[in-house]
Amino acid sequence: TDINMPEMDGLTMSRTIRNNLETAFLPIIALTGKNDANTQMQSYEYVDAFITKPFDLNYLNGRIIKLLITSNT
């Protein structure tokens, strides 16, 4: 997700996912241009990883793999 999205921001979407029993287990990564500490702290209530743009694709792939491994244990 991105923090800034049209119609529904990423935090609202993440909160909706977390509050639904059918989707609460899904890992969520926030990819965003907002890199201030307040946004990052708010995000960690709902997301599993917070990555600022521009991002390194290898880093993103590593975070995805780590989240998938962790979610399956």
Side-chain angles (χ1 to χ4, degrees):
T1 185
D2 196 339
I3 301 300
N4 294 321
M5 298 188 307
E7 297 183 35
M8 179 186 294
D9 67 75
L11 292 179
T12 302
M13 184 187 83
S14 298
R15 186 179 312 115
T16 301
I17 291 169
R18 291 288 182 241
N19 290 331
N20 182 329
L21 290 176
E22 294 179 4
T23 58
F25 68 94
L26 295 171
I28 301 172
I29 298 174
L31 294 172
T32 184
K34 292 186 75 170
N35 61 359
D36 62 280
N38 187 44
T39 301
Q40 189 169 0
M41 292 301 293
Q42 288 178 331
S43 297
Y44 277 124
E45 186 175 348
Y46 305 106
V47 304
D48 301 293
F50 185 91
I51 302 173
T52 56
K53 295 176 186 175
F55 58 90
D56 179 75
L57 191 55
N58 290 325
Y59 179 75
L60 175 60
N61 285 334
R63 293 296 293 147
I64 291 169
I65 291 167
K66 176 81 171 166
L67 288 169
L68 291 174
I69 290 169
T70 304
S71 68
N72 285 324
T73 58

